[in-house]
């Protein structure tokens, strides 16, 4: 199969996610998987509607975090008979438009060998100035510690080829830190990272949670510092390959 599966981690999603999924169905996708990450019972009707829209809904009995939700989706695909070209991870709270998803989907025709990052435009006037600074600070810290310049390390809109799902499902991080760990591990493995511009960054203040919001630079610093201290370590398979050379 040459099409892509959309994976949406969701905690207490707004009803608007149903309409969003309907619009996504118009794209040439292999399917849509939604992970109910321990949402309150009053959101059950929303997930039932998503099932009626031909979405596969996977459920965590309690909130386990964005990282675990993404890994649950990856593990499901790896165990199923589906063999998609890859997955596109998408936010459930209106962070991404259908046009954003379509932009990343179109980019897979060119950049199918690596991870594609949908880079948000933080110049929108309604986006908090502090959040804009935090995003910039996070990118600077990432470049300082990892020696790779990326404009938006916390974007939740990403394409991941199927061949990378196996090791990505084992990357550490159950919460927001998984997004950064994914990039660090990809760089260690020499997996290409492509940046594709998408629309304005959106902050949904009425949402209960923001799965791919800009993080406090202090948390990013702590995470990158720990990775920096361990940077001499590498995946076992990579280490064995180097020894054989």
């Amino acid at each position: 199969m040459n099409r892509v599966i959309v994976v949406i981690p969701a905690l207490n999603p707004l009803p608007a996610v149903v309409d969003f999924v309907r619009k996504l169905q118009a794209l040439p996708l292999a399917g849509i998987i939604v992970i109910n990450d321990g949402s309150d019972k009053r959101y059950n009707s929303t997930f039932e509607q998503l099932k009626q829209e031909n979405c596969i809904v996977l459920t965590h009995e309690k909130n386990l975090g964005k990282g675990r939700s993404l890994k649950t989706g990856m593990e499901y695909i790896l165990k199923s008979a589906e063999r998609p070209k890859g997955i596109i991870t998408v936010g459930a709270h209106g962070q991404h438009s259908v046009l954003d998803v379509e932009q990343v989907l179109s980019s897979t025709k060119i950049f199918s060998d690596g991870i594609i990052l949908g880079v948000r435009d933080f110049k929108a006037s309604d986006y908090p100035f502090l959040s804009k600074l935090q995003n910039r600070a996070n990118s600077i810290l990432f470049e300082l510690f990892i020696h790779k310049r990326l404009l938006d390390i916390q974007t939740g809109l990403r394409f991941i080829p199927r061949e990378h799902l196996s090791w990505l499902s084992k990357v550490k991080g159950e919460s927001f830190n998984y997004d950064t760990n994914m990039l660090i591990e990809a760089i260690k493995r020499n997996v290409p990272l492509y940046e594709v511009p998408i629309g304005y960054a959106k902050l949904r203040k009425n949402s209960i949670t923001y799965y791919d919001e800009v993080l406090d630079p202090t948390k990013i610093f702590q995470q990158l510092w720990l990775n920096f201290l361990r940077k001499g370590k590498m995946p076992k398979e990579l280490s064995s390959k180097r020894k054989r050379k």
Side-chain angles (χ1 to χ4, degrees), residues 104 116-120 152 155-158 194-198:
V104 172
I116 300 174
L117 307 176
V119 177
R120 298 168 290 182
D152 188 1
T155 178
L157 183 58
R158 304 179 178 195
Y194 302 105
E195 298 183 289
V196 173
I198 57 173

Side-chain angles (χ1 to χ4, degrees), residues 145-194:
F145 284 102
I146 311 301
H147 307 297
K148 174 74 173 178
R149 186 173 185 271
L150 294 173
L151 297 175
D152 188 1
I153 66 172
Q154 286 302 130
T155 178
L157 183 58
R158 304 179 178 195
F159 166 74
I160 303 167
R162 189 184 191 283
E163 58 265 30
H164 298 311
L165 296 183
S166 181
W167 63 263
L168 276 171
S169 65
K170 299 178 179 65
V171 169
K172 291 182 179 181
E174 303 297 286
S175 187
F176 297 97
N177 57 344
Y178 178 74
D179 284 333
T180 308
N181 288 343
M182 174 195 297
L183 300 179
I184 294 171
E185 190 67 17
I187 291 168
K188 288 179 180 178
R189 292 171 177 266
N190 294 317
V191 176
L193 298 175
Y194 302 105

Side-chain angles (χ1 to χ4, degrees), residues 4-9 24 27 29 31-33 70 77 85-91 96 100-108 116 156-161 165:
V4 171
I5 291 178
V6 164
V7 176
I8 305 176
L24 285 179
L27 301 179
L29 300 171
I32 298 174
I33 296 175
L70 291 175
I77 293 170
K85 179 179 181 179
I87 68 171
I88 292 181
T89 62
V90 181
H96 313 120
D100 293 338
V101 178
E102 188 174 16
Q103 180 69 29
V104 172
L105 183 62
S106 296
S107 299
T108 65
I116 300 174
L157 183 58
R158 304 179 178 195
F159 166 74
I160 303 167
L165 296 183

Side-chain angles (χ1 to χ4, degrees), residues 29-88:
L29 300 171
I32 298 174
I33 296 175
V34 179
I35 297 87
N36 173 6
D37 187 27
S39 299
D40 191 274
K41 290 183 179 179
R42 66 178 181 270
Y43 293 91
N44 286 351
S45 60
T46 299
F47 289 105
E48 287 301 318
Q49 289 181 65
L50 289 171
K51 289 179 183 178
Q52 293 173 18
E53 296 297 329
N54 295 318
C55 292
I56 295 171
V57 177
L58 308 177
T59 303
H60 292 164
E61 293 304 318
K62 62 180 182 179
N63 177 234
L64 299 179
K66 178 188 178 183
R68 172 45 53 189
S69 297
L70 291 175
K71 286 185 272 190
T72 293
M74 293 176 188
E75 290 164 359
Y76 178 86
I77 293 170
L78 289 170
K79 292 176 183 177
S80 73
E82 290 279 356
R83 296 193 63 83
K85 179 179 181 179
I87 68 171
I88 292 181

